[in-house]
Amino acid sequence: MYTEEWDIQEIKHLKKKKLVQDNIYMLLLFVILVYFTDSGKHALTIGTFFVFIWIMVALTLYTLKTGRSIGTKTSKRVQKFDRNRLGEKRWKRNKIIEVVIVSVVGVGIAVLLFVTDFNSLTLDFPSYPFPFLGAWLGFNIGELVRMSNLHR
């Protein structure tokens, strides 16, 4: 197996840059969530999540099938590093697990979208953003821990 030499400091910098990009995407998604929920368009809120999740599934399946990543230069470089560091077999297993988990969540949201009566649904402001914010915080903590664990 060919192992490429990587500059760990450069990778840490790229991972920090990617984390900022990911946080911008999350902020955009959060603003959409708040806007649609506050305007009473709950079906649109759930539908937006549904679309984002299936886009994630499609991109991950494309990467799994072709081996090529989609994204910014930073994202592609970080994914190439992760793939090289994990090894092909482990990387592929992780991608398959990612597709399965995100697909199950996507199916759950689809069921929610078609079964729930959104006219009777009320979301109070103090409670509905907490799950999203908790996931966002957990994502950031996880990425920071993974960055701090990088070494030769």
Side-chain angles (χ1 to χ4, degrees):
M1 179 175 135
Y2 172 73
T3 56
E4 189 175 332
E5 286 295 317
W6 295 89
D7 179 13
I8 298 300
Q9 293 306 318
E10 177 191 2
I11 295 301
K12 283 185 178 183
H13 173 74
L14 290 174
K15 283 188 173 264
K16 288 176 187 172
K17 188 175 176 181
K18 184 177 180 313
L19 183 61
V20 169
Q21 291 172 351
D22 291 343
N23 276 295
I24 290 170
Y25 299 139
M26 293 286 272
L27 181 62
L28 176 66
L29 189 61
F30 183 72
V31 167
I32 291 170
L33 167 77
V34 170
Y35 174 75
F36 287 147
T37 304
D38 284 347
S39 64
K41 299 177 182 175
H42 305 304
L44 204 49
T45 304
I46 302 294
T48 301
F49 275 109
F50 177 74
V51 169
F52 277 117
I53 284 177
W54 286 107
I55 288 172
M56 286 174 47
V57 168
L59 293 176
T60 305
L61 282 173
Y62 175 81
T63 301
L64 185 62
K65 184 75 175 164
T66 65
R68 292 187 305 238
S69 302
I70 295 177
T72 63
K73 288 181 186 179
T74 302
S75 175
K76 288 178 183 179
R77 183 99 167 114
V78 167
Q79 289 178 30
K80 185 177 179 184
F81 168 77
D82 288 339
R83 185 174 185 173
N84 186 270
R85 194 187 78 199
L86 289 173
E88 190 68 27
K89 187 176 180 180
R90 191 168 163 205
W91 174 83
K92 194 170 239 179
R93 185 183 68 221
N94 287 354
K95 283 295 177 185
I96 290 170
I97 290 169
E98 180 183 343
V99 165
V100 168
I101 289 172
V102 174
S103 296
V104 167
V105 170
V107 168
I109 289 177
V111 168
L112 182 71
L113 188 61
F114 294 113
V115 171
T116 305
D117 177 22
F118 290 102
N119 294 328
S120 64
L121 185 66
T122 60
L123 297 175
D124 298 325
F125 177 73
S127 65
Y128 74 82
F130 288 129
F132 186 88
L133 294 174
W136 194 354
L137 181 66
F139 168 75
N140 280 293
I141 291 171
E143 287 298 313
L144 291 172
V145 166
R146 281 189 278 288
M147 276 186 252
S148 68
N149 289 339
L150 283 178
H151 51 79
R152 284 208 180 259

